[in-house]
Amino acid sequence: MSSKETTALHALVGSKGFGNFILLCIFFNAIIMGLQSYPSINAAYESLFEILDGVLLGIFTVEIILKIIVYRSRYFRDRWNLFDFLIVAGSLAFMQSQFISILRMLRVLRILRTISSIPSLRRIVTSLFMAVPTIGSISLLMFIIFYIYGIIGSTFYGEISPEYFGDLSSSLVTLFQIATFDDWANIYRSIAEVYPISVLYFISFILIAVFVVLNLVVGEIVNNAAKIPSDDNGEDEPGSGDAASEIAQLRKEVRELKYLLQGASLPPQSETLPRTHSGRPQASGGFAEQSS
């Protein structure tokens, strides 16, 4: 393939219209799978759905082939590209197999390609994975809070409400129900009739376990999202970092060549030559003095 054809193919694959077309196909595939969940609609248009599914799979396959041709091995350096490749390759591998359940699962996973196609979704998912270690610590803190409140509940309210606080396990289940606000008021009223001061137990648990801990998780995800470089100027294509380093190296070599032609010694990396009124580096001696 000539360099002109490669450049045109690179422009096509990296264009916004091409990405929007693939994203539209992903949405269309999701709509088809939703319609297939209705037995009456699926029975009436089953053959049409199978044809459309094959066409969409062919489009996704061509997309990946074009990107591999353009980016070559750099395509697989991007984890999102690798994710897309595994989903499409798995769909092709199990297309004619007897493992219908695996094929259906892979077809459902195609919808997840929406994440790799939308930069803002990629940032959210990436920040979520970055927050996993901290979320693990927060989960441990939440377990400690649940455990303490579970023991307190089974100790003071076990005889009053054995259904909810009879032992530690039932108390933990009740606390989880309270944390999800699932009919927690009825649990509170049955105990508050005997112990009105129990309002402090329930309110403090809701404030600590729900609002404080939940805000810790959300705050950690937001902090990680702020650390991720923004993709507002367009998607970062594979190899963009290599191209930037090559451009920086070329600029450095051109600058050194300019100094050599002027007859000046190369300045240290931290120093810069004095500039003339025209904005160019002013040479000291060498070629400038010889020309005079």
Side-chain angles (χ1 to χ4, degrees):
M1 183 179 295
S2 63
S3 59
K4 185 177 181 180
E5 293 176 347
T6 304
T7 304
L9 192 59
H10 189 283
L12 172 64
V13 173
S15 63
K16 190 174 182 179
F18 184 81
N20 291 336
F21 173 73
I22 296 299
L23 185 61
L24 182 63
C25 291
I26 295 174
F27 287 150
F28 187 59
N29 182 47
I31 293 174
I32 291 176
M33 296 189 64
L35 293 176
Q36 285 180 310
S37 63
Y38 297 93
S40 58
I41 298 178
N42 186 41
Y45 301 99
E46 184 176 2
S47 58
L48 177 61
F49 288 154
E50 291 180 357
I51 294 174
L52 293 176
D53 183 73
V55 172
L56 291 172
L57 181 58
I59 293 174
F60 296 147
T61 304
V62 171
E63 175 210 0
I64 290 179
I65 292 176
L66 291 178
K67 287 186 175 181
I68 292 177
I69 292 175
V70 172
Y71 303 120
R72 301 183 184 276
S73 60
R74 293 176 297 173
Y75 174 82
F76 297 98
R77 298 178 187 175
D78 192 323
R79 291 173 294 179
W80 292 110
N81 289 338
L82 186 60
F83 175 75
D84 294 344
F85 177 82
L86 292 177
I87 291 179
V88 176
S91 299
L92 292 173
F94 290 96
M95 187 168 55
Q96 300 296 335
S97 66
Q98 299 178 353
F99 301 98
I100 304 298
S101 58
I102 298 179
L103 178 60
R104 290 177 178 175
M105 182 183 66
L106 290 171
R107 290 176 61 193
V108 173
L109 290 178
R110 287 186 213 165
I111 304 176
L112 290 177
R113 294 197 59 206
T114 308
I115 300 175
S116 62
S117 301
I118 301 178
S120 58
L121 290 180
R122 289 205 308 264
R123 292 189 63 188
I124 294 174
V125 175
T126 303
S127 62
L128 181 61
F129 280 111
M130 290 174 60
V132 167
T134 306
I135 291 177
S137 301
I138 296 175
S139 300
L140 179 60
L141 175 62
M142 181 177 290
F143 174 77
I144 294 174
I145 295 173
F146 269 72
Y147 194 85
I148 293 175
Y149 274 85
I151 293 178
I152 294 174
S154 60
T155 301
F156 290 96
Y157 312 130
E159 296 180 357
I160 302 174
S161 181
E163 179 183 358
Y164 297 114
F165 295 98
D167 49 32
L168 179 60
S169 58
S170 59
S171 297
L172 292 177
V173 174
T174 302
L175 291 174
F176 183 79
Q177 182 179 350
I178 295 173
T180 58
F181 299 105
D182 181 18
D183 199 26
W184 76 274
N186 290 331
I187 301 175
Y188 160 71
R189 291 191 184 97
S190 62
I191 298 176
E193 292 176 354
V194 180
Y195 288 108
I197 198 173
S198 63
V199 64
L200 299 177
Y201 173 83
F202 288 95
I203 297 300
S204 62
F205 174 77
I206 291 175
L207 290 176
I208 296 175
V210 179
F211 294 105
V212 175
V213 176
L214 181 60
N215 286 330
L216 286 176
V217 175
V218 174
E220 180 63 24
I221 295 175
V222 171
N223 288 335
N224 290 325
K227 299 177 183 178
I228 301 174
S230 178
D231 294 334
D232 293 338
N233 296 329
E235 290 189 37
D236 292 335
E237 297 295 343
S240 60
D242 297 337
S245 61
E246 291 177 1
I247 293 175
Q249 182 66 24
L250 287 174
R251 288 177 177 174
K252 180 180 178 181
E253 293 176 358
V254 171
R255 185 173 62 251
E256 293 175 355
L257 181 60
K258 183 188 297 183
Y259 294 146
L260 292 175
L261 290 175
Q262 293 175 347
S265 59
L266 294 178
Q269 295 293 333
S270 60
E271 297 181 4
T272 57
L273 291 177
R275 297 182 176 271
T276 61
H277 295 289
S278 60
R280 298 181 178 177
Q282 180 180 358
S284 57
F287 182 79
E289 294 178 357
Q290 293 175 8
S291 62
S292 61

